[in-house]
Amino acid sequence: MGVVSGLIPGLHSNNFALLLVSASPLLIENGIPAMYIICMILANCITHTFHDNKR
């Protein structure tokens, strides 16, 4: 997700964070712990920083 948000202009890692937070009740209900969702958001933000295409 971070690579995609970093390479596509106008798409920010906060967009994916919002999607993950809004889908978190469904993900938790299906057995994915909340800590995994938090780690996905953090990894997305870090990867977005490295792949950001601003020059």
Side-chain angles (χ1 to χ4, degrees), residues 36-47:
Y36 288 0
I37 299 168
I38 294 168
C39 290
M40 286 191 297
I41 292 171
L42 181 63
N44 179 23
C45 293
I46 292 170
T47 308

Side-chain angles (χ1 to χ4, degrees), residues 4-20:
V4 172
S5 67
L7 294 178
I8 297 177
L11 191 59
H12 197 265
S13 60
N14 291 346
N15 297 346
F16 287 114
L18 179 65
L19 286 173
L20 285 171

